[in-house]
Amino acid sequence: QVQLVESGGGLVQAGGSLRLSCAASGSILSINTMGWYRQAPGKQRELVAVITSGGSTNYADSVKGRFTIARDNAKNAVYLQMNSLKPEDTAVYYCNANLIGSSLRLRDYWGQGTQVTVSS
């Protein structure tokens, strides 16, 4: 059974930094894309950043230049370095992975979420 577990969230002041981590465990044959999404109260979940198996990245316009996504294929992990945080970044951040597990087919998995709160 595949599980994704996030860590690294917390409370920081505006202008501060946080590094989120997500590790996938279980029977995994191959991971396609990995990404981070976030959801603030009363708002839809939105894509923050995504990284392909080849290392190509895409970011939401609101975080470009401030956030950096990276992955460690050997550890089945993905990271999100968040710098120059703003109150608008406050949300629950979710890890996502599109991968092939024991079912031998691609499917999406989600982490439980980690809270990021940025004070003004």
Side-chain angles (χ1 to χ4, degrees):
Q1 185 172 335
V2 176
Q3 287 187 302
L4 272 60
V5 179
E6 305 102 329
S7 63
L11 174 64
V12 297
Q13 290 184 305
S17 298
L18 283 174
R19 184 173 186 259
L20 305 183
S21 299
C22 173
S25 62
S27 182
I28 300 169
L29 295 179
S30 179
I31 301 179
N32 184 19
T33 60
M34 302 188 81
W36 291 93
Y37 294 72
R38 67 186 182 187
Q39 187 168 26
K43 300 180 67 177
Q44 294 188 108
R45 186 174 299 186
E46 65 174 349
L47 174 69
V48 177
V50 63
I51 184 167
T52 70
S53 60
S56 297
T57 59
N58 288 100
Y59 298 90
D61 288 341
S62 60
V63 307
K64 284 182 178 177
R66 300 188 297 120
F67 291 10
T68 303
I69 189 170
R71 65 190 286 172
D72 185 336
N73 292 331
K75 297 180 179 179
N76 291 333
V78 64
Y79 310 93
L80 186 67
Q81 179 66 46
M82 304 185 294
N83 299 326
S84 302
L85 283 162
K86 304 175 180 179
E88 305 93 274
D89 296 317
T90 295
V92 177
Y93 284 70
Y94 296 91
C95 176
N96 168 267
N98 182 241
L99 58 83
I100 299 174
S102 59
S103 69
L104 303 182
R105 63 174 60 183
L106 278 168
R107 61 163 287 184
D108 283 314
Y109 292 85
W110 293 89
Q112 82 286 352
T114 185
Q115 177 71 46
V116 172
T117 303
V118 184
S119 62
S120 59

